[in-house]
Coordinates of all heavy atoms in Angstrom, one line a residue:
Chain A
H795 N 20.0 21.5 -30.4 CA 20.5 22.9 -30.7 C 20.9 23.6 -29.4 O 20.0 23.6 -28.6 CB 19.3 23.6 -31.4 CG 19.7 25.1 -31.6 ND1 20.6 25.4 -32.5 CD2 19.2 26.2 -31.1 CE1 20.8 26.7 -32.6 NE2 19.9 27.3 -31.7
A796 N 22.1 23.9 -29.3 CA 22.7 24.7 -28.1 C 22.3 23.9 -26.9 O 21.9 24.5 -25.9 CB 22.0 26.1 -28.1
G797 N 22.5 22.6 -26.8 CA 22.4 21.8 -25.7 C 20.9 21.4 -25.4 O 20.7 20.5 -24.5
W798 N 20.0 22.0 -26.1 CA 18.6 21.6 -25.9 C 18.1 20.8 -27.2 O 18.3 21.4 -28.3 CB 17.7 22.7 -25.6 CG 17.5 23.2 -24.3 CD1 18.6 23.2 -23.4 CD2 16.5 23.7 -23.6 NE1 18.2 23.7 -22.1 CE2 16.9 23.9 -22.3 CE3 15.1 23.9 -24.0 CZ2 16.0 24.5 -21.4 CZ3 14.3 24.4 -23.0 CH2 14.7 24.7 -21.6
S799 N 17.5 19.6 -27.0 CA 17.0 18.9 -28.2 C 15.8 19.7 -28.8 O 15.0 20.5 -28.0 CB 16.6 17.5 -27.8 OG 15.5 17.6 -27.0
F800 N 15.5 19.3 -30.0 CA 14.3 19.9 -30.6 C 13.0 19.5 -29.8 O 12.2 20.4 -29.6 CB 14.2 19.3 -32.0 CG 12.9 19.7 -32.8 CD1 12.9 21.0 -33.3 CD2 11.8 19.0 -32.9 CE1 11.8 21.4 -34.0 CE2 10.7 19.4 -33.6 CZ 10.6 20.6 -34.0
G801 N 13.0 18.2 -29.3 CA 11.8 17.8 -28.6 C 11.7 18.6 -27.4 O 10.6 18.8 -26.9
R802 N 12.8 19.0 -26.7 CA 12.8 19.8 -25.5 C 12.1 21.1 -25.7 O 11.3 21.5 -25.0 CB 14.1 19.8 -24.9 CG 14.1 20.1 -23.4 CD 15.5 20.0 -22.8 NE 15.6 20.1 -21.4 CZ 16.6 20.1 -20.7 NH1 17.8 19.9 -21.2 NH2 16.6 20.3 -19.4
W803 N 12.6 21.8 -26.8 CA 12.0 23.0 -27.2 C 10.5 22.9 -27.4 O 9.7 23.7 -27.0 CB 12.7 23.6 -28.4 CG 14.0 24.3 -28.0 CD1 15.3 23.7 -28.3 CD2 14.3 25.4 -27.3 NE1 16.3 24.5 -27.9 CE2 15.7 25.6 -27.2 CE3 13.5 26.4 -26.7 CZ2 16.3 26.7 -26.6 CZ3 14.1 27.5 -26.0 CH2 15.5 27.6 -26.0
A804 N 10.2 21.8 -28.1 CA 8.8 21.6 -28.6 C 8.0 21.4 -27.2 O 6.9 21.9 -27.1 CB 8.7 20.4 -29.5
G805 N 8.7 20.5 -26.3 CA 7.8 20.3 -25.1 C 7.6 21.6 -24.3 O 6.5 21.7 -23.8
L806 N 8.6 22.5 -24.3 CA 8.4 23.7 -23.6 C 7.3 24.5 -24.3 O 6.5 25.1 -23.5 CB 9.7 24.6 -23.6 CG 9.8 25.9 -22.9 CD1 9.4 25.6 -21.4 CD2 11.0 26.5 -23.0
G807 N 7.3 24.5 -25.7 CA 6.3 25.3 -26.3 C 4.9 24.8 -26.0 O 3.9 25.5 -25.7
V808 N 4.8 23.4 -26.0 CA 3.5 22.8 -25.7 C 3.1 23.1 -24.3 O 2.0 23.4 -24.0 CB 3.5 21.2 -25.9 CG1 2.3 20.5 -25.4 CG2 3.8 20.8 -27.4
T809 N 4.0 23.0 -23.4 CA 3.7 23.3 -22.0 C 3.2 24.7 -21.8 O 2.3 25.0 -21.1 CB 4.9 23.1 -21.1 OG1 5.4 21.7 -21.3 CG2 4.7 23.2 -19.7
A810 N 4.0 25.6 -22.5 CA 3.6 27.1 -22.3 C 2.2 27.3 -22.9 O 1.4 28.0 -22.3 CB 4.6 27.9 -23.1

Side-chain angles (χ1 to χ4, degrees):
Chain A
H795 177 70
W798 274 39
S799 67
F800 176 77
R802 203 169 183 185
W803 282 107
L806 181 62
V808 170
T809 304

